[in-house]
Amino acid sequence: MSADIKRNVSQTTTGRKPKITVGILLGVMVFGLFIVGFDQGHLFSIAQGEQAYEDLWMHEFYHDMRHAAGFPCH
């Protein structure tokens, strides 16, 4: 390999992540934290209306994970 090729290969493998990737992953993490830790019918209330606050589908689905993560719910 010539010196020019070695230099180009080392420059393209720096391992830096684009800021957009970090932003997207941070958004997914915050959304997941909301669903697991704080959702009390808010997500389904958009489609289901007031009944979603009584059914608590997401709350029941993530109930054990909430307690394992340290979120109190009742």
Side-chain angles (χ1 to χ4, degrees), residues 38-73:
F38 300 106
D39 185 60
Q40 297 288 333
H42 299 93
L43 247 62
F44 283 141
S45 70
I46 296 168
Q48 197 177 12
E50 293 295 320
Q51 184 65 35
Y53 294 108
E54 294 175 26
D55 293 342
L56 299 176
W57 289 106
M58 296 303 273
H59 175 89
E60 295 301 326
F61 186 69
Y62 292 114
H63 189 259
D64 293 336
M65 191 185 323
R66 282 177 176 234
H67 290 295
F71 290 102
C73 62

Side-chain angles (χ1 to χ4, degrees), residues 7-39:
R7 185 175 56 229
N8 287 340
V9 169
S10 67
Q11 288 176 353
T12 59
T13 59
T14 58
R16 296 191 61 198
K17 304 293 185 243
K19 291 180 181 179
I20 189 74
T21 304
V22 174
I24 290 170
L25 290 175
L26 186 62
V28 168
M29 184 193 77
V30 168
F31 184 69
L33 183 67
F34 170 75
I35 288 174
V36 172
F38 300 106
D39 185 60

